[in-house]
Short mmCIF file of all heavy atoms in Angstrom, two decimals:
data_model
loop_
_atom_site.label_atom_id
_atom_site.label_comp_id
_atom_site.label_asym_id
_atom_site.label_seq_id
_atom_site.Cartn_x
_atom_site.Cartn_y
_atom_site.Cartn_z
N GLU A 269 107.49 -64.24 -90.31
CA GLU A 269 106.13 -63.71 -90.39
C GLU A 269 105.40 -64.32 -91.59
O GLU A 269 104.22 -64.70 -91.50
CB GLU A 269 106.15 -62.19 -90.51
CG GLU A 269 104.76 -61.57 -90.52
CD GLU A 269 104.77 -60.05 -90.59
OE1 GLU A 269 105.87 -59.45 -90.55
OE2 GLU A 269 103.69 -59.47 -90.69
N LYS A 270 106.11 -64.44 -92.73
CA LYS A 270 105.51 -65.05 -93.92
C LYS A 270 105.23 -66.54 -93.72
O LYS A 270 104.23 -67.07 -94.21
CB LYS A 270 106.42 -64.84 -95.14
CG LYS A 270 106.45 -63.42 -95.67
CD LYS A 270 107.24 -63.30 -96.95
CE LYS A 270 108.73 -63.38 -96.70
NZ LYS A 270 109.53 -63.10 -97.92
N LEU A 271 106.11 -67.22 -93.00
CA LEU A 271 105.96 -68.67 -92.79
C LEU A 271 104.88 -69.02 -91.77
O LEU A 271 104.35 -70.14 -91.78
CB LEU A 271 107.29 -69.28 -92.33
CG LEU A 271 108.39 -69.40 -93.39
CD1 LEU A 271 109.71 -69.78 -92.73
CD2 LEU A 271 108.01 -70.43 -94.45
N SER A 272 104.56 -68.09 -90.88
CA SER A 272 103.59 -68.38 -89.83
C SER A 272 102.20 -68.59 -90.42
O SER A 272 101.83 -67.98 -91.42
CB SER A 272 103.56 -67.24 -88.81
OG SER A 272 103.08 -66.04 -89.39
N LYS A 273 101.44 -69.47 -89.79
CA LYS A 273 100.07 -69.79 -90.24
C LYS A 273 99.15 -69.82 -89.02
O LYS A 273 98.59 -70.85 -88.64
CB LYS A 273 100.05 -71.15 -90.95
CG LYS A 273 100.88 -71.18 -92.23
CD LYS A 273 100.88 -72.57 -92.85
CE LYS A 273 101.73 -72.60 -94.11
NZ LYS A 273 101.79 -73.96 -94.70
N PRO A 274 98.96 -68.66 -88.40
CA PRO A 274 98.15 -68.61 -87.18
C PRO A 274 96.66 -68.71 -87.48
O PRO A 274 96.23 -68.62 -88.63
CB PRO A 274 98.50 -67.25 -86.59
CG PRO A 274 98.86 -66.41 -87.77
CD PRO A 274 99.53 -67.34 -88.75
N ILE A 275 95.91 -68.89 -86.42
CA ILE A 275 94.45 -68.93 -86.52
C ILE A 275 93.86 -67.76 -85.73
O ILE A 275 94.52 -67.15 -84.88
CB ILE A 275 93.88 -70.25 -85.98
CG1 ILE A 275 94.24 -70.43 -84.49
CG2 ILE A 275 94.36 -71.44 -86.81
CD1 ILE A 275 93.51 -71.57 -83.81
N ASP A 276 92.59 -67.46 -86.01
CA ASP A 276 91.81 -66.56 -85.16
C ASP A 276 91.21 -67.39 -84.03
O ASP A 276 90.67 -68.46 -84.26
CB ASP A 276 90.66 -65.94 -85.96
CG ASP A 276 91.12 -64.96 -87.03
OD1 ASP A 276 92.00 -64.13 -86.73
OD2 ASP A 276 90.61 -65.04 -88.16
N ASP A 277 91.32 -66.90 -82.80
CA ASP A 277 90.59 -67.52 -81.70
C ASP A 277 90.26 -66.45 -80.67
O ASP A 277 90.46 -65.26 -80.92
CB ASP A 277 91.35 -68.71 -81.10
CG ASP A 277 92.67 -68.33 -80.45
OD1 ASP A 277 92.87 -67.13 -80.16
OD2 ASP A 277 93.49 -69.22 -80.20
N VAL A 278 89.73 -66.87 -79.52
CA VAL A 278 89.28 -65.90 -78.53
C VAL A 278 90.44 -65.11 -77.92
O VAL A 278 90.24 -64.04 -77.34
CB VAL A 278 88.49 -66.59 -77.39
CG1 VAL A 278 87.21 -67.18 -77.92
CG2 VAL A 278 89.33 -67.66 -76.69
N ARG A 279 91.65 -65.64 -78.05
CA ARG A 279 92.80 -64.96 -77.45
C ARG A 279 93.44 -63.93 -78.36
O ARG A 279 93.98 -62.93 -77.89
CB ARG A 279 93.85 -66.00 -77.01
CG ARG A 279 93.40 -66.84 -75.83
CD ARG A 279 94.39 -67.92 -75.47
NE ARG A 279 94.46 -68.96 -76.49
CZ ARG A 279 95.59 -69.43 -77.00
NH1 ARG A 279 96.74 -68.95 -76.61
NH2 ARG A 279 95.56 -70.38 -77.91
N ALA A 280 93.39 -64.14 -79.69
CA ALA A 280 94.03 -63.20 -80.62
C ALA A 280 93.62 -63.53 -82.05
O ALA A 280 93.20 -64.65 -82.35
CB ALA A 280 95.55 -63.26 -80.48
N SER A 281 93.80 -62.57 -82.93
CA SER A 281 93.50 -62.75 -84.34
C SER A 281 94.74 -63.22 -85.09
O SER A 281 95.87 -63.14 -84.58
CB SER A 281 93.01 -61.44 -84.96
OG SER A 281 94.06 -60.49 -84.98
N LYS A 282 94.54 -63.67 -86.34
CA LYS A 282 95.67 -64.05 -87.19
C LYS A 282 96.65 -62.89 -87.34
O LYS A 282 97.87 -63.05 -87.22
CB LYS A 282 95.16 -64.45 -88.58
CG LYS A 282 94.35 -65.71 -88.66
CD LYS A 282 93.91 -65.93 -90.10
CE LYS A 282 92.98 -67.12 -90.23
NZ LYS A 282 92.52 -67.30 -91.63
N SER A 283 96.11 -61.73 -87.66
CA SER A 283 96.98 -60.57 -87.92
C SER A 283 97.78 -60.17 -86.68
O SER A 283 98.96 -59.81 -86.79
CB SER A 283 96.16 -59.38 -88.43
OG SER A 283 95.19 -58.99 -87.47
N GLU A 284 97.16 -60.25 -85.51
CA GLU A 284 97.90 -59.95 -84.27
C GLU A 284 99.05 -60.91 -84.08
O GLU A 284 100.17 -60.51 -83.70
CB GLU A 284 96.95 -60.03 -83.08
CG GLU A 284 95.98 -58.87 -82.96
CD GLU A 284 95.01 -59.05 -81.82
OE1 GLU A 284 94.38 -60.12 -81.72
OE2 GLU A 284 94.87 -58.11 -81.01
N ARG A 285 98.80 -62.18 -84.32
CA ARG A 285 99.85 -63.19 -84.14
C ARG A 285 100.98 -62.99 -85.14
O ARG A 285 102.15 -63.15 -84.81
CB ARG A 285 99.26 -64.59 -84.23
CG ARG A 285 98.45 -65.01 -83.00
CD ARG A 285 98.04 -66.46 -83.07
NE ARG A 285 97.65 -66.97 -81.78
CZ ARG A 285 96.39 -67.12 -81.37
NH1 ARG A 285 95.39 -66.77 -82.16
NH2 ARG A 285 96.13 -67.61 -80.17
N LYS A 286 100.65 -62.66 -86.37
CA LYS A 286 101.70 -62.42 -87.38
C LYS A 286 102.57 -61.23 -86.98
O LYS A 286 103.81 -61.26 -87.12
CB LYS A 286 101.08 -62.21 -88.76
CG LYS A 286 100.76 -63.51 -89.48
CD LYS A 286 100.37 -63.28 -90.93
CE LYS A 286 100.35 -64.59 -91.70
NZ LYS A 286 101.70 -65.11 -92.00
N LYS A 287 101.93 -60.17 -86.48
CA LYS A 287 102.71 -59.01 -86.02
C LYS A 287 103.61 -59.39 -84.86
O LYS A 287 104.75 -58.92 -84.75
CB LYS A 287 101.76 -57.89 -85.60
CG LYS A 287 101.07 -57.19 -86.77
CD LYS A 287 100.07 -56.15 -86.27
CE LYS A 287 99.31 -55.53 -87.44
NZ LYS A 287 98.25 -54.58 -86.97
N LEU A 288 103.10 -60.27 -83.98
CA LEU A 288 103.91 -60.70 -82.84
C LEU A 288 105.12 -61.50 -83.29
O LEU A 288 106.21 -61.37 -82.70
CB LEU A 288 103.05 -61.52 -81.87
CG LEU A 288 102.16 -60.72 -80.94
CD1 LEU A 288 101.16 -61.63 -80.24
CD2 LEU A 288 103.00 -59.97 -79.91
N VAL A 289 104.97 -62.34 -84.31
CA VAL A 289 106.13 -63.08 -84.84
C VAL A 289 107.21 -62.09 -85.25
O VAL A 289 108.40 -62.26 -84.91
CB VAL A 289 105.72 -63.97 -86.03
CG1 VAL A 289 106.96 -64.51 -86.74
CG2 VAL A 289 104.84 -65.12 -85.57
N HIS A 290 106.82 -61.07 -85.98
CA HIS A 290 107.77 -60.06 -86.45
C HIS A 290 108.40 -59.31 -85.27
O HIS A 290 109.63 -59.22 -85.15
CB HIS A 290 107.06 -59.08 -87.38
CG HIS A 290 107.98 -58.15 -88.09
ND1 HIS A 290 108.52 -57.03 -87.49
CD2 HIS A 290 108.47 -58.16 -89.36
CE1 HIS A 290 109.30 -56.40 -88.34
NE2 HIS A 290 109.28 -57.05 -89.49
N ASN A 291 107.54 -58.80 -84.37
CA ASN A 291 108.03 -57.95 -83.28
C ASN A 291 108.86 -58.72 -82.26
O ASN A 291 109.85 -58.20 -81.73
CB ASN A 291 106.86 -57.27 -82.60
CG ASN A 291 106.16 -56.27 -83.49
OD1 ASN A 291 106.72 -55.83 -84.50
ND2 ASN A 291 104.93 -55.90 -83.16
N LEU A 292 108.48 -59.96 -81.99
CA LEU A 292 109.26 -60.76 -81.04
C LEU A 292 110.65 -61.09 -81.59
O LEU A 292 111.61 -61.19 -80.83
CB LEU A 292 108.51 -62.06 -80.70
CG LEU A 292 107.31 -61.91 -79.76
CD1 LEU A 292 106.52 -63.22 -79.69
CD2 LEU A 292 107.75 -61.49 -78.36
N THR A 293 110.75 -61.26 -82.91
CA THR A 293 112.06 -61.53 -83.51
C THR A 293 112.97 -60.31 -83.37
O THR A 293 114.16 -60.46 -83.04
CB THR A 293 111.90 -61.90 -85.00
OG1 THR A 293 110.97 -62.97 -85.12
CG2 THR A 293 113.23 -62.33 -85.60
N ILE A 294 112.43 -59.14 -83.59
CA ILE A 294 113.22 -57.92 -83.42
C ILE A 294 113.61 -57.75 -81.94
O ILE A 294 114.75 -57.40 -81.62
CB ILE A 294 112.44 -56.68 -83.91
CG1 ILE A 294 112.09 -56.83 -85.40
CG2 ILE A 294 113.23 -55.40 -83.66
CD1 ILE A 294 113.28 -57.00 -86.33
N LYS A 295 112.65 -58.01 -81.06
CA LYS A 295 112.96 -57.91 -79.62
C LYS A 295 114.04 -58.90 -79.23
O LYS A 295 114.91 -58.59 -78.39
CB LYS A 295 111.69 -58.17 -78.81
CG LYS A 295 111.89 -57.96 -77.31
CD LYS A 295 110.58 -58.07 -76.55
CE LYS A 295 110.80 -57.79 -75.06
NZ LYS A 295 109.53 -57.83 -74.29
N ALA A 296 114.02 -60.08 -79.84
CA ALA A 296 115.06 -61.08 -79.56
C ALA A 296 116.44 -60.54 -79.85
O ALA A 296 117.39 -60.77 -79.09
CB ALA A 296 114.79 -62.35 -80.37
N PHE A 297 116.59 -59.82 -80.97
CA PHE A 297 117.90 -59.27 -81.32
C PHE A 297 118.43 -58.37 -80.20
O PHE A 297 119.57 -58.54 -79.76
CB PHE A 297 117.85 -58.48 -82.62
CG PHE A 297 119.09 -57.65 -82.84
CD1 PHE A 297 120.27 -58.26 -83.26
CD2 PHE A 297 119.10 -56.29 -82.59
CE1 PHE A 297 121.43 -57.52 -83.42
CE2 PHE A 297 120.26 -55.54 -82.75
CZ PHE A 297 121.43 -56.16 -83.17
N TYR A 298 117.61 -57.42 -79.77
CA TYR A 298 118.09 -56.46 -78.77
C TYR A 298 118.37 -57.13 -77.43
O TYR A 298 119.31 -56.74 -76.72
CB TYR A 298 117.08 -55.33 -78.62
CG TYR A 298 117.09 -54.40 -79.82
CD1 TYR A 298 116.05 -54.42 -80.73
CD2 TYR A 298 118.16 -53.55 -80.05
CE1 TYR A 298 116.06 -53.59 -81.86
CE2 TYR A 298 118.18 -52.72 -81.16
CZ TYR A 298 117.14 -52.75 -82.06
OH TYR A 298 117.18 -51.93 -83.17
#
Side-chain angles (χ1 to χ4, degrees):
E269 183 178 356
K270 287 186 286 187
L271 287 170
S272 65
K273 297 177 181 177
I275 61 169
D276 292 315
D277 65 17
V278 295
R279 290 176 291 132
S281 67
K282 292 179 185 178
S283 60
E284 286 176 309
R285 285 187 162 100
K286 277 190 168 286
K287 287 176 184 176
L288 281 168
V289 169
H290 189 281
N291 293 342
L292 285 170
T293 306
I294 300 301
K295 185 173 183 178
F297 167 76
Y298 288 107

